């Protein structure tokens, strides 16, 4: 029994009429494509800038065609530091995201299936975290990390990311878990399965769409996170991509073409992940907003 | 030489010092730590310390410099986080004035005042550098670079509009009018962050108030609510309304200010001499097609805005680390090495007798002026406390937008200053 | 342990499963499952939140070792002396109002469009969602470049099609700068509502819509009377998330206008940052943060209550 229904693609709300003329269909495609073109134009401008040479860029401005395509910008941006930042971001994302989702799933499981006094209040308490402006926590967190000697350490930042990711993750996981029939859990318990077994063998596998969409959401958020990294990381060798990009921007303050190339490199993993897992997005979220 | 230079006198007696030639003076008077020492150094990505560190570590193999580079805002923040969390680096880059004194006044920076003679700073550095670095008459760092503001213009644009290099304020305005008439925007600037616009406001204030009063205004000793300030704001508005700045400059990134000049749409920028390296040369422009001239203030002495860059040592670091840090700070400007180091950290150097080569005509020209006794005043964003800088910027930009009259703007800054002073007590 | 809790536990079949005191066991197991999340959450969000609120009662520059207790003075200063605070408050309100309507409507429209079945649907979904996976600050950088008054794509494009009269200094004119930033933010913020609405549309049974169609309802009527009411919960989630994120907005404004010109585009998030980190006024900055937090609770309380009640 899987909640990822492959057949959903055909389950659209409005079916095209068989007898409908081809013209509206073409008009539909043309209209949609034009809108899509405008929508995505900023990304083209970015890529376009990344392909210009320094002097082309300085003399010609944005709109002018480059004299030659400067693929070397990417290699150059990679070599002057993006490589390190990329590795740090990748490490952080790969370790933090699954850990965060697991912790959130455990909490959501307890809040959904276990009969705990005050579990509703506790859930509300967790959700408050969605509202806290991150800047508000920075000064106390600085003092906290100082005391733990975790300033300028990816390990220290790891804990902060875990904490800040929890409210959203718990909300989504709990939302999805509520769509899992209680009877399944109860039946398993009667069969002698432990609570931990229920979590691991039944609830977690059934929550796959939510887990996957969370992995993607949280992955993107972690990959893009800037404020905390900016405050708590220092050394070049520790920096993550968004932070590295800013310093990169200062170092090559005028080298918009290199900056654009660096930005393109930042985006690539997001695109790949997104394309690969796209269909889970919608499925995973649908559970969390149903009532 | 006395250490009690008045911050406001800023006398630059370079000529004599330079004529005397380079004193041969290794840092032998300093304590070199004997054991293995690691010095943590914070600075800007644009500092260019990498080759200096490499050479230093070769000369002192027992010392390791752990070098961390930041973007400008990130750097300011890293120092603040360091101060708030009690984790300052052992050695850090800094500007002067209000960007540096929060740290010295919190007791975080090593006071070098008593060591000026024994470190021979008075003999190896140009006096202006030391004056600009001081806070309340005390020295908390070793300056390594002086950064003056200069007008850089594209010769071709001047020829096209039939403009000669102006020598008075009136001539400068005349030149701007001619350029504008020829369809060329006189000045290209990036007003986002407000400090590039401030260079003009500062210049007008120097022109209208004269050196003495201008310094008093910036030191918050004289009221801002006075004629010279109002006139400066009014002049800024006038230049803006005449179209002498590029369209929509208020939120343009300063880093994009050269493109308009390259494209022949603008003629001048008010910049630091090192753009010769960071911009022109990098973007395949022959620097000899550009010229430079001093801001014509019509005042005597004719001063331009400028600041120094220094290295400060932590007052909290262990003794041997402090020694090593200080050794590096002086190494950057050591007389026998300063010229070599300037190639990477940029000019003009704070060390005496260092002049850029002929392949850098703009920087060489500036060094010559400095040698001839050019005087500097601190730019507004270092002369005023940071919070007052905000009030200054807001007033200035509001005038340009027409949201405040020049008189209202002058009043608003004074109001902020009054509130600030009241809070300090 | 509350009696109410015991009652609910007794009502479940699971509680009847052997064991001497199933409720106690369940409680222990629950604590075990919850412990990591709770520990992290309290240390990293709740404790700093409380400590920070406490700091808003002090005058402190964040650097010097001493700080001075001033009670509610910082709040009084905000109220009566900090002109920019009011600009920021007004801008945040405007921002929130626009964000609640525009990107959400576009998101809904796109969701309806992309819920139809046609070849290449997945591609278009991906394309329209794409800006949402970029960081907001990167979106800001891209759009800043597009808006550049002389070198940017927008003005150059307008010139190219002969509409030079529409040239603007998009980010330098206070009357349009904030809206220009909103466009960039909207470009990023449309993806999530679109996605949520797509998810919401899937929960609507196809039979209901087909029945309405058979009854002769027009497309608009079907939307008005069937789809829209059934998307009520989704809309609530979308609006809540939008409201919370709008008040917290910070990076895109910081990157694009730096709060300028002349602080005319400051929002609460940026002004808090400037006071805390640029002007060294920790107390005043955290006071804004507390105000911001309070405002967010206006929506957050019914939101969390609703989420809580559904179980």
């Amino acid at each position: 029994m899987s909640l990822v229904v492959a057949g959903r693609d055909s389950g659209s709300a409005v079916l095209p009429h068989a007898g409908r003329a081809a013209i509206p269909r073409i008009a539909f495609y043309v209209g949609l494509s034009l809108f899509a073109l405008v929508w995505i134009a900023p990304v083209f401008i970015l890529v376009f800038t990344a392909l210009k040479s320094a002097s082309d860029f300085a003399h010609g401005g944005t709109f002018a065609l480059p004299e030659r395509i400067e693929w070397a910008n990417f290699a150059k941006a990679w070599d002057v530091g993006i490589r390190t930042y990329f590795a740090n971001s990748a490490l952080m994302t790969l370790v933090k995201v699954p850990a965060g989702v697991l912790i959130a799933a455990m909490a959501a499981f307890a809040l959904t299936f276990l009969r705990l006094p005050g579990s509703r209040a506790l859930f509300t308490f967790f959700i408050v975290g969605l509202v806290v402006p991150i800047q508000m926590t920075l000064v106390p967190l600085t003092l906290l990390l100082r005391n733990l000697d975790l300033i300028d350490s990816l390990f220290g930042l790891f804990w902060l990311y875990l904490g800040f990711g929890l409210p959203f993750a718990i909300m989504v996981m709990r939302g999805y878990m509520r769509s899992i029939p209680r009877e399944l859990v109860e039946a398993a318990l009667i069969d002698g399965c432990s609570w931990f077994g229920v979590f691991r063998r039944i609830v977690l596998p059934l929550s796959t769409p939510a887990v996957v969409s969370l992995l993607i959401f949280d992955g993107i958020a972690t990959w893009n996170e800037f404020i905390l990294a900016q405050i708590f990381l220092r050394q070049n060798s520790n920096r993550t991509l968004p932070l590295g990009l800013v310093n990169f921007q200062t170092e090559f303050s005028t080298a918009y073409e290199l900056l654009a190339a660096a930005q393109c490199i930042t985006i690539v993993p997001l695109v790949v992940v997104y394309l690969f897992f796209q269909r889970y997005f919608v499925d995973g979220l649908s559970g969390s907003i149903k009532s | 030489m006395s250490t009690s230079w008045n911050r406001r006198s800023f006398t630059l007696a370079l000529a004599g010092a330079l004529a005397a030639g380079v004193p041969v003076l290794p840092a032998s008077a300093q304590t070199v730590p004997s054991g293995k020492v690691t010095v943590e150094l914070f600075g800007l990505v644009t500092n260019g310390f990498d080759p200096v560190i490499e050479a230093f570590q070769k000369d002192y193999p027992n010392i390791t410099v752990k070098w961390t580079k930041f973007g400008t805002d990130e750097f300011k923040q890293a120092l603040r986080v360091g101060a708030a969390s009690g984790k300052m680096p052992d050695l850090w880059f800094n500007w002067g004035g209000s960007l540096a004194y929060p740290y010295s006044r919190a007791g975080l920076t090593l006071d070098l005042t008593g060591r000026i003679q024994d470190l021979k700073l008075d003999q190896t550095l140009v006096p202006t550098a030391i004056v600009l670095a001081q806070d309340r008459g005390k020295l908390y760092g070793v300056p390594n670079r002086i950064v003056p503001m200069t007008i850089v213009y594209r010769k071709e644009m001047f020829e096209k509009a039939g403009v000669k290099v102006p020598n008075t304020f009136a001539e400068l305005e005349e030149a701007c009018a001619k350029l504008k008439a020829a369809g060329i925007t006189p000045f290209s600037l990036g007003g986002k962050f407000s400090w590039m616009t401030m260079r003009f406001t500062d210049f007008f204030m120097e022109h209208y108030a004269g050196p003495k009063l201008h310094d008093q205004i910036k030191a918050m000793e004289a009221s801002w609510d006075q004629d010279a300030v109002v006139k400066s704001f009014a002049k800024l508005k006038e230049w803006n309304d005449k179209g002498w700045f590029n369209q929509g400059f208020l939120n343009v990134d300063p880093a994009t200010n050269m493109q308009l000049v390259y494209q022949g749409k603008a003629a001048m920028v008010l910049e630091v001499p090192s753009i010769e390296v960071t911009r022109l040369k990098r973007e395949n422009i022959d620097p000899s097609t550009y010229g430079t001239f001093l801001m014509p203030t019509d005042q005597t002495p004719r001063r331009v805005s400028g600041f120094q860059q220094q290295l400060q040592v932590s007052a909290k670091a262990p003794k041997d680390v402090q020694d090593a840090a200080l050794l590096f700070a002086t190494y950057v400007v050591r007389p026998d090495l300063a010229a070599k180091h300037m190639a990477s950290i940029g000019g003009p150097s704070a060390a005496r007798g260092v002049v850029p080569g002929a392949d850098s005509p703009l920087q060489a020209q500036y060094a010559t002026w400095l040698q001839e006794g050019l005087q500097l005043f601190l730019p507004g964003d270092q002369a005023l406390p940071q919070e007052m800088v905000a009030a200054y910027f807001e007033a200035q930009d509001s005038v340009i937008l027409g949201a405040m009259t020049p008189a209202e703007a002058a009043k608003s800054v004074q109001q902020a200053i009054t509130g600030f002073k009241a809070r300090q007590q | 342990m509350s009696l109410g809790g015991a009652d609910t536990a007794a009502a479940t079949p699971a509680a009847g499963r052997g064991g001497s005191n199933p409720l106690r066991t369940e409680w222990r197991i629950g604590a075990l499952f919850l412990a990591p999340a709770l520990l992290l959450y309290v240390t990293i969000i709740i404790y700093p939140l409380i400590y920070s609120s406490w700091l808003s009662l002090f005058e402190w520059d964040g650097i010097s070792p001493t700080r001075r207790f001033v009670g509610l003075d910082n709040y009084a200063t905000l109220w009566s002396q900090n002109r920019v605070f009011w600009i920021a408050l007004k801008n945040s309100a405007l921002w929130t109002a626009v964000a609640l309507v525009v990107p959400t409507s576009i998101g809904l429209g796109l969701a309806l469009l992309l819920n139809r079945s046609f070849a290449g649907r997945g591609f278009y979904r991906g394309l329209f969602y794409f800006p949402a996976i970029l960081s907001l600050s990167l979106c800001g950088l891209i759009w800043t470049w597009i808006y550049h008054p002389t070198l940017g794509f927008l003005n150059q494009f307008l010139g190219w099609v002969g509409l030079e009269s529409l040239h603007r200094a998009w980010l330098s004119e206070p009357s349009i700068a904030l809206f220009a930033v909103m466009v960039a933010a909207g470009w990023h913020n449309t993806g999530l509502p679109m996605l949520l609405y797509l998810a919401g549309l899937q929960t609507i049974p196809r039979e209901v819509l087909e029945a309405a169609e058979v009854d002769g309802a027009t497309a608009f009527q079907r939307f008005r009377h069937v789809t829209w009411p059934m998307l009520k919960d989704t809309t609530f989630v979308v609006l809540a998330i939008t409201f919370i994120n709008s008040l917290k907005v910070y990076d895109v404004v910081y990157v694009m206008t730096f709060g300028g010109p002349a602080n005319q585009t400051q929002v609460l998030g940026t002004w808090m940052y400037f006071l805390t980190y640029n002007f060294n006024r920790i107390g005043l900055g955290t006071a804004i943060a507390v105000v911001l937090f309070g405002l967010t609770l206006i929506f957050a309380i019914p939101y969390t209550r609703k989420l809580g009640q559904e179980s």
Side-chain angles (χ1 to χ4, degrees):
Chain A
M1 173 173 178
S2 164
L3 287 184
V4 194
V5 185
R8 273 213 176 131
D9 269 0
S10 57
S12 68
V14 181
L15 287 172
H17 286 262
R20 221 173 243 177
I23 308 232
R25 176 164 286 267
I26 289 168
F28 170 79
Y29 272 109
V30 170
L32 190 65
S33 301
L34 274 179
F35 187 41
L37 203 64
V38 173
W39 192 256
I40 213 69
V43 180
F44 276 118
I45 294 171
L46 178 71
V47 176
F48 196 54
T49 309
L51 292 174
K52 288 186 181 186
S53 72
S55 78
D56 247 354
F57 179 76
H59 302 290
T62 336
F63 213 36
L65 285 165
E67 277 170 27
R68 62 198 162 93
I69 289 183
E70 193 77 15
W71 292 107
N73 284 342
F74 290 97
K76 209 165 155 193
W78 181 256
D79 281 340
V80 291
I82 295 299
R83 185 206 323 247
T84 314
Y85 311 144
F86 195 96
N88 287 337
S89 274
L91 178 71
M92 180 63 100
T93 308
L94 290 176
V95 176
K96 183 265 154 177
V97 176
V101 173
L102 179 68
I103 292 174
M106 283 166 59
F109 174 75
L111 291 173
T112 314
F113 294 108
L114 285 154
R115 301 290 170 175
L116 303 174
S119 74
R120 187 186 298 175
L122 195 58
F123 176 64
T124 310
F125 177 64
F126 273 118
I127 297 303
V128 169
L130 284 176
V131 187
V132 177
I134 207 163
Q135 289 95 330
M136 197 171 172
T137 61
L138 295 179
V139 175
L141 285 178
T142 307
L143 302 174
L144 181 72
L145 284 201
R146 192 259 320 248
N147 289 336
L148 298 170
D149 201 20
L150 283 175
I151 284 189
D152 192 19
S153 120
L154 282 169
F155 185 63
L157 196 62
F158 167 80
W159 295 108
L160 300 190
Y161 281 5
L162 270 187
F164 280 103
L166 281 176
F168 181 73
I170 290 178
M171 182 184 82
V172 171
M173 288 309 302
R174 179 173 170 281
Y176 199 91
M177 283 179 184
R178 279 188 302 131
S179 70
I180 296 172
R182 286 202 78 83
E183 298 76 38
L184 281 175
V185 173
E186 280 149 12
L189 286 171
I190 288 163
D191 287 351
C193 194
S194 70
W195 278 108
F196 186 76
V198 171
F199 173 69
R200 202 172 67 87
R201 296 216 190 88
I202 297 169
V203 174
L204 208 51
L206 285 179
S207 305
T208 307
V211 168
V212 174
S213 58
L214 254 189
L215 286 177
I216 301 165
F217 267 111
D218 201 34
I220 291 172
T222 307
W223 187 261
N224 285 334
E225 202 288 328
F226 175 67
I227 302 178
L228 291 169
Q230 185 196 18
I231 299 278
F232 295 109
L233 293 182
R234 291 175 173 179
Q235 286 179 62
N236 203 38
S237 57
N238 276 344
R239 286 175 186 156
T240 55
L241 258 178
L243 181 63
L245 268 186
V246 169
N247 287 282
F248 191 83
Q249 187 172 7
T250 317
E251 187 153 17
F252 305 93
S253 65
T254 57
Y256 262 68
E257 73 288 348
L258 278 192
L259 187 64
Q263 289 166 348
C264 288
I265 295 176
T266 311
I267 297 174
V268 169
L270 295 174
V271 177
V272 171
V273 167
Y274 176 63
L275 289 180
F276 201 69
F277 293 105
Q278 198 195 29
R279 68 193 191 103
Y280 287 97
F281 262 41
V282 177
D283 291 337
L285 279 175
S286 60
S288 66
I289 54 171
K290 251 187 307 207
S291 63
Chain B
M1 218 176 267
S2 140
T3 59
S4 60
W5 285 299
N6 185 332
R7 194 182 74 125
R8 266 178 262 124
S9 71
F10 294 161
T11 315
L12 231 189
L14 252 179
L18 286 163
V22 180
V24 179
L25 194 124
S28 55
Q30 276 181 258
T31 321
V32 180
S34 50
K36 273 207 173 307
V37 179
T38 300
V39 176
E40 187 173 38
L41 166 63
F42 278 14
L44 301 179
V45 285
T46 46
N47 281 150
F49 284 139
D50 305 69
V52 183
I53 292 169
E54 205 176 302
F56 179 76
Q57 290 177 340
K58 215 170 269 169
D59 288 356
Y60 301 96
N62 61 322
I63 305 176
T64 308
V65 177
K66 205 170 130 213
W67 168 220
T68 304
K69 298 184 268 189
F70 298 86
T72 310
D73 281 321
E74 290 65 43
F75 170 74
K76 290 179 184 169
Q77 194 170 292
L79 278 195
R80 261 182 231 121
V81 171
S85 66
K87 277 215 151 188
M88 289 295 271
D90 307 313
L91 179 68
W92 62 87
F93 155 87
N94 217 335
W95 301 271
S98 59
L99 291 169
Y101 69 57
Y103 305 99
S104 48
R105 292 179 193 178
L108 298 170
T109 321
L110 190 65
D111 182 359
L112 300 176
T113 320
R115 303 195 55 187
I116 291 179
Q117 265 99 29
D118 104 68
L119 293 171
K120 303 210 163 77
L121 298 179
D122 51 345
Q123 293 171 39
T124 56
L125 300 180
V126 298
T128 296
I130 296 182
V131 171
L132 288 168
Q134 282 173 336
D135 173 30
R136 294 175 175 170
K138 289 190 163 190
L139 186 69
Y140 292 98
V142 181
N144 52 54
R145 193 179 162 205
I146 303 172
V147 187
M149 309 293 163
T150 178
I151 293 182
V152 173
Y153 67 97
R154 185 169 164 188
K155 290 176 180 169
E156 196 189 325
M157 298 296 108
F158 270 32
E159 281 159 23
K160 214 168 151 188
V163 169
K164 283 205 177 64
V165 171
N167 209 24
T168 63
F169 192 83
E171 281 173 24
L172 176 62
E173 292 203 293
E174 209 176 294
C176 290
K178 271 191 188 168
L179 283 163
K180 187 68 194 172
I184 300 162
T185 305
F187 283 100
S188 172
L189 76 148
K192 193 174 181 178
F193 318 122
S194 305
W195 47 259
M196 211 173 226
T197 319
M198 173 203 72
R199 293 172 178 176
F200 288 87
T201 321
D202 281 355
F203 162 57
F204 295 142
M205 249 184 248
E206 176 77 3
H207 168 64
Y208 285 115
K212 189 159 172 273
L213 182 58
H214 186 192
D215 284 341
Q216 285 170 346
I217 292 169
K218 289 286 172 62
M220 305 189 296
E221 287 160 10
S223 170
W224 279 63
D225 188 9
Q226 64 163 295
D227 202 38
V229 178
V230 176
K231 273 185 179 159
S232 306
F233 282 137
K235 188 52 89 178
L236 185 72
K237 174 74 173 153
E238 183 193 326
W239 280 32
N240 172 69
D241 292 351
K242 283 180 171 165
W244 291 359
F245 303 131
N246 45 310
Q247 184 216 351
F249 69 92
L250 271 183
N251 239 325
V252 167
D253 189 330
T256 64
N257 69 336
M258 286 310 287
Q259 264 95 338
L260 285 179
V261 182
Y262 296 156
Q263 292 173 13
K265 291 176 184 158
M268 296 179 268
V269 291
L270 183 43
E271 266 287 7
V272 297
S274 54
I275 66 154
E276 182 166 42
V277 186
T278 57
R279 304 295 309 269
L280 299 180
K281 287 184 176 175
R282 181 182 169 273
E283 283 153 3
N284 292 324
I285 308 274
D286 176 5
S288 70
T289 61
Y290 283 69
T292 179
F293 61 90
L294 293 173
M295 309 291 292
T297 59
D298 293 359
Q299 296 284 353
T300 321
R302 184 172 175 175
R303 308 189 304 175
V304 301
S305 139
F307 55 91
Q308 55 76 46
Q309 298 187 341
Q310 61 182 334
L311 283 172
Q312 300 190 306
V313 179
S314 167
K316 310 279 182 202
K319 180 75 176 64
D320 57 335
V321 176
Q322 280 182 347
D323 287 340
L326 199 53
L327 195 61
F328 179 79
T330 52
Y331 184 83
V332 179
V333 283
R334 212 169 83 182
D336 53 329
L337 302 169
K340 195 180 102 200
H341 292 161
M342 191 187 63
S344 55
I345 67 170
S349 174
R352 293 190 185 199
V354 178
V355 186
D359 59 330
S360 302
L362 300 177
Q363 293 186 83
Q365 169 69 78
Y366 233 90
T368 313
W369 280 325
L370 283 169
Q371 287 168 44
E372 286 165 6
L374 176 68
Q375 298 187 23
L376 304 175
F377 63 88
L378 271 184
D381 59 352
Q382 288 186 35
L384 292 165
Q386 287 309 297
E387 217 189 310
M388 295 304 101
V389 173
Y392 179 25
F393 284 176
E394 194 186 328
Q396 158 196 290
D397 290 355
S398 296
V399 167
I400 292 169
L401 291 170
M404 282 187 196
T405 65
E408 283 166 1
K411 266 201 190 71
S412 79
V413 180
Q414 186 53 40
Q415 224 170 34
I417 289 171
T418 311
F420 175 75
K421 283 185 171 167
R423 243 194 14 260
Q424 293 302 298
Q425 277 142 26
Chain C
M1 218 173 289
S2 79
L3 269 176
D7 281 350
T8 9
T12 67
R17 171 182 66 103
S20 55
N21 193 341
L23 182 64
R24 175 151 294 171
T25 336
E26 239 176 276
W27 192 89
R28 276 200 197 137
I29 289 167
L32 219 60
F33 270 98
L34 277 165
L38 208 52
L39 201 67
L40 277 168
Y41 178 68
V42 169
T43 319
I44 286 160
I45 300 184
I46 298 301
Y47 151 75
L49 182 74
I50 294 164
Y51 189 43
S52 215
S53 310
W54 175 239
L55 278 178
S56 75
L57 306 177
F58 289 84
E59 165 99 37
W60 185 35
D61 66 359
I63 294 172
S64 64
T66 54
R67 52 192 191 211
R68 195 162 59 88
F69 185 80
V70 294
L72 294 173
D73 272 13
N74 286 322
Y75 294 91
T77 307
L78 281 185
W79 184 266
S80 60
Q81 287 167 40
N82 203 287
R83 203 174 58 83
V84 183
F85 169 71
W86 291 100
I87 299 178
L89 191 64
K90 193 194 83 202
N91 283 340
S92 280
L94 179 66
W95 182 287
T96 308
V98 172
L100 283 175
V101 179
V102 182
T104 48
S105 306
I106 299 176
L108 173 61
L110 283 171
L112 290 170
L113 211 59
L114 298 175
N115 197 46
R116 301 164 55 134
S117 141
F118 60 90
R121 182 176 74 165
F123 169 77
Y124 282 104
R125 279 184 180 181
L127 190 141
F128 284 108
Y129 187 72
F130 184 77
I133 65 171
L134 308 179
S135 70
L136 205 46
S137 47
L138 179 55
C139 293
L141 285 176
I142 296 175
W143 280 88
T144 306
W145 193 226
I146 290 172
Y147 284 136
H148 194 290
T150 42
L151 307 165
F153 177 83
L154 187 53
N155 274 352
Q156 289 188 20
F157 179 78
L158 288 173
W160 187 57
V161 297
L163 288 171
E164 254 149 21
S165 58
L166 293 179
H167 271 192
R168 288 287 178 283
W170 301 101
L171 295 173
S172 298
E173 295 174 22
S175 55
I176 51 173
L178 195 66
F179 293 101
V181 179
M182 285 178 188
V183 170
W187 185 62
H188 174 275
N189 287 338
T190 299
L192 189 62
M194 178 187 100
L195 207 60
L196 290 169
Y197 275 121
L198 274 173
L201 285 172
Q202 297 203 342
T203 64
I204 300 175
R206 211 192 328 168
E207 301 76 35
V208 180
L209 286 163
E210 277 169 359
E213 204 174 347
V214 170
D215 289 349
T218 65
F220 177 77
Q221 283 170 330
R222 287 198 303 274
F223 172 74
R224 171 74 186 73
H225 296 289
V226 181
T227 314
W228 179 243
M230 295 191 87
L231 287 175
K232 205 184 77 195
D233 287 323
T234 312
T235 305
F236 184 76
V237 172
V238 166
L239 292 183
I241 292 178
T242 307
F243 183 86
I244 292 166
N245 287 341
S246 301
L247 279 179
K248 285 201 289 191
V249 67
Y250 152 76
D251 36 9
V252 72
V253 178
Y254 185 86
V255 166
M256 291 186 73
T257 68
F258 205 64
N263 287 329
Q264 294 299 313
T265 59
Q266 293 285 7
V267 290
L268 290 175
T270 51
W271 189 233
M272 165 169 91
Y273 182 89
F274 276 92
L275 284 173
T276 311
Y277 289 96
N278 288 21
F279 313 143
N280 301 342
R281 301 194 66 179
I282 305 277
L284 207 54
T286 41
I288 293 190
V290 172
V291 172
L292 186 58
F293 181 60
L295 286 175
T296 325
L297 285 179
I298 296 173
F299 212 106
I301 286 174
Y303 176 51
T304 47
R305 185 171 292 168
K306 185 173 158 69
L307 279 174
Q309 273 166 359
E310 277 159 15
S311 51

